[in-house]
Amino acid sequence: MAILSVKNLSYTYPGDDITPPVPALRNVSFSIEEGSFTAVLGHNGSGKSTLAKLLSMIYTPESGQIVLCGRDMTAPDVTEADILAARREIGMVFQNPDNQIVATVVEEDVAFGCENLGLPPAEIRKRVDDALAAVGMTAYARHAPHKLSGGQKQRVAIAGTIAMRRRIIIFDESTAMLDPMGRREVMDVILRLNREEGITVLMITHYMNEAAMADRILVLDHGGVLCDGTPQAVFGDPERLWAAGLDVPQTTELLYRFRGLGYDVPIAVFDADECADVIAAAIAKKSKKAKEVR
Ligand code: ADP
Ligand code: MG
């Protein structure tokens, strides 16, 4: 079942006396299945963050429809209470881990959102403990967040959204400022939340290998949807992505070039070992053929 769907969604940043209005999204339509993992790709300025803010009800659409958990959030009779309820379903994790810390002790930081929800202290305690365990940060509960690594800070930020029991989490380039190890830690947590806790994930990223782990990829270009499909389908057409100024996973690029040399290989392969196997098999097949000809 779709947990979130948008139809012909558009948004323009209003201009003023000096700056003209900026159309950021134009007629975007798609729907997200409950429990799915969607990666959102697009070059800078393509409208990814604007989309994230519309979906999390931070912005109000200029036109179009957003249906969240069966409620049409753009219907004329939608109330302030409906919007508040919708905001409780969606959490966001941003790019800069430092901007998301609000407390001086990790567990207090994770509890912050729950306290705002007005939950009883015993319930908060349980949720905070569960959330810290889910992101592998239990041992740091009493630590000072500013002393943690970037990856650990992001995991604390994620724990805050888990503690609030968000059904959908949008990650807006949440791994962009991390070193490779931090990126891997955060990716592992995102994958686990999706696969084991059934949390619906939308992950905006510039890392093609991360996008290849999603069930589905949505590519934005100049405020519109350029492609929408499985990683196999989207990365299987690299020319379209290159034309939009985007990359494909390194394995796909390598196999694409290899295919250009006359080898018969699939290109939507994202695992390095699998890619090596595909190349080895194609070389063996070609040399066998050459021997037969001789
Ligand atoms: P992305 O996240 O894909 O880089 P954004 O959604 O941030 O893209 O931006 C989409 C377009 O909207 C860009 O042209 C950007 O310059 C413009 N934009 C983003 N935020 C604002 C803002 N607060 N005011 C005016 N224009 C904005
Ligand atoms: Mg952005």
Side-chain angles (χ1 to χ4, degrees), residues 74-179:
T74 39
D77 60 350
V78 101
T79 62
E80 196 64 22
D82 294 330
I83 303 271
L84 282 176
R87 284 198 187 127
R88 272 187 222 123
E89 308 284 7
I90 301 195
M92 257 182 95
V93 178
F94 298 93
Q95 187 177 93
N96 189 338
D98 292 313
N99 292 350
Q100 297 175 78
I101 291 168
V102 291
T104 51
V105 179
V106 165
E107 61 183 8
E108 286 170 15
D109 196 83
V110 176
F112 183 78
C114 290
E115 278 159 6
N116 282 345
L117 293 177
L119 297 170
E123 172 70 15
I124 296 179
R125 179 75 260 166
K126 182 177 178 329
R127 287 190 181 199
V128 168
D129 290 346
D130 290 351
L132 283 170
V135 301
M137 288 295 287
T138 303
Y140 295 86
R142 303 287 312 153
H143 285 230
H146 71 268
K147 289 192 180 154
L148 302 176
S149 71
Q152 290 172 328
K153 284 180 199 166
Q154 284 300 55
R155 282 151 63 196
V156 170
I158 295 170
T161 67
I162 300 173
M164 287 188 278
R165 302 269 156 90
R166 305 306 200 195
R167 288 168 71 189
I168 306 174
I169 304 183
I170 303 179
F171 296 88
D172 191 352
E173 298 191 38
S174 307
T175 61
M177 298 180 75
L178 308 180
D179 60 19

Side-chain angles (χ1 to χ4, degrees), residues 41 80 141 146 150 165 188 199 206 211 225 231 240 255 261 281:
L41 301 178
E80 196 64 22
H146 71 268
R165 302 269 156 90
D188 285 348
I199 293 176
H206 280 297
V225 176
R240 182 142 74 148
L255 290 166
L261 297 173

Side-chain angles (χ1 to χ4, degrees), residues 13 22-24 42-51 59 172-173:
Y13 288 95
V22 181
H43 56 75
N44 281 335
S46 58
K48 305 179 299 296
S49 295
T50 305
L51 176 65
Y59 291 168
D172 191 352
E173 298 191 38

